[in-house]
Amino acid sequence: MTIKTGLIGYGLGGAVFHAPLIQASPSLSLAAIATSREVPHGIDKIADPQALIADPGIELVVISTPNATHFPLALASLEAGKHVVIDKPFTATADQADRLIAVARERDLRLVPFHNRRWDGDFLTVRDLVASARLGEILLCEMHWDRFRLDLRPGWKDEAAEGTGLLYDLGSHLVDQALRLFGPPDAVSGDLAVQRPGAAVDDYFALTLHYASRRVILTASTVAAEPRPRFALHGTGGSFVKPGLDPQEEQLKAGLRPGDRGYGAESSRLHGVVTMPDGGRERIATRPGRYVDFYDGVAAAIAEGAPVPVAPEDARLGLEIIGAARESAAGGRVVDLRGLKARD
């Protein structure tokens, strides 16, 4: 038996990421999509998200809608007895996350943030490299996510609303990846800017996560015609520098699907390089990306009681760090997070 799944929202996130990945998981069945857009043949189109939530046959609700709607739609779904996947950012605030986590726990439901970038091939490669200790003690890690997009996008993403802006958009992923690699930081300092003419929300950010003597720098820009390296790690045993972005998003946009030949594979020209202190260099092949592992993990959590692939508490911690970074940027100071770590 497959888990009957309903998707709310069929924009970029729903059409490019969620629908194809749900359909690629043998344990899930995409039964309905709540949207005003056209949907694939054989899937029910529902105009009202609340009608999808109320459908007694739907077991799992996936939310890929404007960020301000994540919390109310997720709460309604949980209260209707559904398991829930929420696209990033999980919610707009840590308080909203707390409420959802409490309801899911009370009702014994799976609540899963869609932090798919844990399954980027470049991140999987970096994670393995850090775990191997080949670079020694990592003292500086830089993670960049650059674009060149001067024009403002129509729709909600570039509008001033709860949970919008580049820090919530791409920062949610970068913070989550940093936490996977190094755990919670001691402190954070942040710099946000609105750089494009007419922009209403931050379109540049730079965060520094403080870990004793280690620094982890997370940055994103929308005006970088020449992107900086996606990853640059420097340790006592050497450095690793990696350009380019994981190819899965572009492959999914082009119609390639998990299981198709070449899916998740990166061009060798984008493979990263380890440089040793003696000048020796080695190119490191990038692991294939595996977004489908997320939904396979969701299905296993629902059907078998396995741990969820991304814990909601992880996303909540990320929201706390984003909130502290915004506080830092507004006040021009470093924000101590050690009390936050003690609470967690």
Side-chain angles (χ1 to χ4, degrees):
M1 296 292 292
T2 57
I3 297 165
K4 195 172 180 181
T5 302
L7 170 62
I8 303 177
Y10 201 59
L12 173 66
V16 172
F17 289 99
H18 294 285
L21 297 176
I22 292 166
Q23 292 174 309
S25 177
S27 299
L28 301 177
S29 172
L30 183 56
I33 300 176
T35 182
S36 60
R37 295 179 168 92
E38 291 302 311
V39 304
H41 179 72
I43 298 173
D44 290 340
K45 176 181 173 179
I46 299 176
D48 182 8
Q50 297 300 328
L52 184 149
I53 292 170
D55 184 338
I58 297 293
E59 300 173 75
L60 169 65
V61 174
V62 176
I63 297 169
S64 182
T65 56
N67 297 348
T69 67
H70 288 184
F71 173 71
L73 288 172
L75 182 60
S77 300
L78 291 169
E79 290 178 338
K82 315 298 185 183
H83 305 287
V84 177
V85 167
I86 309 177
D87 211 330
K88 56 79 195 168
F90 183 53
T91 57
T93 68
D95 287 343
Q96 290 177 351
D98 285 337
R99 173 70 173 139
L100 296 183
I101 291 168
V103 174
R105 186 178 295 122
E106 289 166 4
R107 295 171 180 257
D108 192 26
L109 295 168
R110 308 291 83 76
L111 173 64
V112 195
F114 185 63
H115 280 298
N116 61 304
R117 296 289 176 172
R118 292 187 183 187
W119 290 271
D120 279 358
D122 49 17
F123 178 71
L124 294 174
T125 304
V126 166
R127 187 191 65 182
D128 288 350
L129 194 59
V130 170
S132 74
R134 180 175 178 183
L135 301 180
E137 181 184 2
I138 305 297
L139 295 175
L140 174 62
C141 172
E142 299 181 31
M143 299 161 61
H144 307 286
W145 198 329
D146 291 333
R147 297 167 169 170
F148 188 76
R149 182 184 289 157
L150 293 183
D151 294 335
L152 304 181
R153 294 170 291 183
W156 60 270
K157 286 195 173 182
D158 281 332
E159 295 177 353
E162 189 176 49
T164 58
L166 197 62
L167 180 56
Y168 275 107
D169 184 21
L170 300 185
S172 295
H173 286 310
L174 293 178
V175 169
D176 184 68
Q177 289 181 336
L179 292 174
R180 292 300 91 206
L181 292 175
F182 304 111
D186 298 323
V188 62
S189 52
D191 178 29
L192 305 181
V194 180
Q195 296 185 325
R196 295 175 298 169
V201 292
D202 57 275
D203 52 15
Y204 164 86
F205 68 81
L207 309 187
T208 299
L209 306 183
H210 300 248
Y211 298 81
S213 58
R214 178 188 298 132
R215 296 293 180 267
V216 176
I217 300 171
L218 313 177
T219 70
S221 170
T222 50
V223 295
E226 178 62 35
R228 294 165 291 181
R230 178 65 181 85
F231 291 95
L233 288 83
H234 306 282
T236 56
S239 296
F240 176 74
V241 177
K242 166 77 177 66
L245 289 172
D246 178 273
Q248 290 176 92
E249 178 175 349
E250 294 305 314
Q251 291 173 343
L252 290 166
K253 286 179 180 176
L256 206 64
R257 296 294 179 259
D260 291 346
R261 181 170 180 165
Y263 176 83
E266 183 185 71
S267 169
S268 59
R269 68 182 177 82
L270 295 176
H271 290 174
V273 173
V274 168
T275 301
M276 306 307 291
D278 63 4
R281 293 164 60 86
E282 179 184 352
R283 189 169 293 274
I284 304 295
T286 304
R287 288 184 54 180
R290 293 199 49 87
Y291 288 164
V292 73
D293 285 0
F294 173 85
Y295 272 110
D296 285 345
V298 170
I302 294 171
E304 304 166 17
V308 292
V310 180
E313 292 82 4
D314 292 350
R316 183 204 180 281
L317 177 58
L319 289 167
E320 288 270 28
I321 291 171
I322 286 173
R326 296 179 68 87
E327 178 186 339
S328 168
R333 63 186 183 87
V334 176
V335 175
D336 195 306
L337 297 174
R338 284 172 289 190
L340 168 64
K341 290 166 63 176
R343 290 198 301 274
D344 289 335

